Amino acid sequence: MSPADPNNPNEAARLTQELIDAGFTKRQVAKMLGRDASLVSQFFTKGKGKAFVNALRQVVRAVSGGERDTDALGAVAQENVERRRTKTGQKARVRGKDVVGAPGESMAGRAGKQAIRSGASHLAPVVHATGQADGRLAFTVRMRADQYTMPAGSMEDSPGLRRGFIPRSDGTEERTYGSASTGGFDAAEWSQRVAEHHGDVTEAMKAWLVETGRAVEDADIQYLEVRAWVPGA
């Protein structure tokens, strides 16, 4: 492939530059895509990267929504990377391991205030990918203490967890639901929940908290974390 025109970068280079301008390095972008940093450099020097445009576009969208965690952004990217194809048209094997998809693999994603306002949509790929892999999920939710309806740390609220909540000086509490030790939640079921809320993970979690009697109806989630894994064989 001929060298790229530095005055007219392709879409992959342009999106990568947006991430660099947002404070990420080429090496971090490459890690999100599951590729080597030298390939990302070739977006600029050789005009490569067409297969990564959609993934980069979704990562840029997640960053614009407030996400900064590279593991979470990597989960978004991996869900949207266009697979290479063989000469027969079949999808080629991906170099490097998937983030989640086989026993023992795991990933996580977090959403702060800005991302919460946009529905924490960048967490949806984490939920869906884990559901497709027959995996399990655990969640951490932060809300004002008076928006929870069950006593902090109670067995009814977070059964089987020794440390089910963290009180904070701003009047909020972080409560954990599910863990590897308790088996977590069925990711396939949560994938369906998220789909029913059109990819809005915040609303899906709020609905679950209300349905299960854990939160008031006008609850306002301020932070949300999803941890995903595939149980070992």
Side-chain angles (χ1 to χ4, degrees):
M1 184 176 290
S2 60
D5 180 357
N7 296 315
N8 186 29
N10 66 11
E11 186 69 358
R14 187 190 68 76
L15 291 166
T16 299
Q17 188 60 54
E18 283 194 43
L19 294 172
I20 292 172
D21 292 343
F24 297 94
T25 66
K26 287 183 181 179
R27 186 174 298 278
Q28 287 176 314
V29 174
K31 184 177 180 181
M32 294 173 199
L33 297 173
R35 298 295 188 271
D36 189 85
S38 63
L39 176 60
V40 173
S41 293
Q42 291 178 40
F43 295 174
F44 297 85
T45 61
K46 296 186 178 181
K48 292 187 175 182
K50 181 178 179 181
F52 301 96
V53 168
N54 187 48
L56 288 165
R57 188 173 290 133
Q58 297 305 319
V59 171
V60 168
R61 180 177 298 174
V63 170
S64 298
E67 181 58 65
R68 301 292 302 181
D69 183 82
T70 54
D71 288 338
L73 294 171
V76 172
Q78 291 299 315
E79 183 70 11
N80 291 281
V81 169
E82 181 180 329
R83 293 279 295 277
R84 293 179 296 110
R85 292 185 177 274
T86 64
K87 292 181 180 179
T88 60
Q90 296 179 323
K91 289 184 177 180
R93 293 182 62 185
V94 175
R95 288 168 290 184
K97 71 174 185 177
D98 293 332
V99 179
V100 68
E105 294 179 347
S106 64
M107 61 180 170
R110 304 167 184 83
K113 288 184 178 180
Q114 284 185 301
I116 288 291
R117 285 198 291 269
S118 63
S121 57
H122 66 283
L123 298 181
V126 178
V127 176
H128 295 319
T130 310
Q132 292 171 1
D134 295 324
R136 311 294 292 181
L137 298 173
F139 303 92
T140 295
V141 180
R142 183 191 304 161
M143 299 190 304
R144 287 206 326 266
D146 61 4
Q147 294 185 335
Y148 294 100
T149 58
M150 296 182 181
S154 70
M155 285 291 292
E156 187 178 10
D157 185 47
S158 299
L161 295 180
R162 290 184 179 179
R163 182 189 59 79
F165 77 102
I166 300 176
R168 298 169 60 87
S169 59
D170 61 1
T172 64
E173 285 182 1
E174 284 187 7
R175 298 197 183 185
T176 299
Y177 300 104
S179 69
S181 62
T182 62
F185 296 96
D186 181 0
E189 177 185 334
W190 269 93
S191 180
Q192 181 61 37
R193 283 180 173 273
V194 170
E196 290 172 355
H197 287 84
H198 309 289
D200 191 321
V201 183
T202 306
E203 283 301 311
M205 172 52 69
K206 177 181 174 180
W208 179 80
L209 290 169
V210 173
E211 287 171 11
T212 57
R214 289 175 165 85
V216 298
E217 289 192 8
D218 60 348
D220 180 24
I221 295 175
Q222 298 185 26
Y223 171 85
L224 180 61
E225 178 178 325
V226 179
R227 295 175 301 287
W229 69 93
V230 177

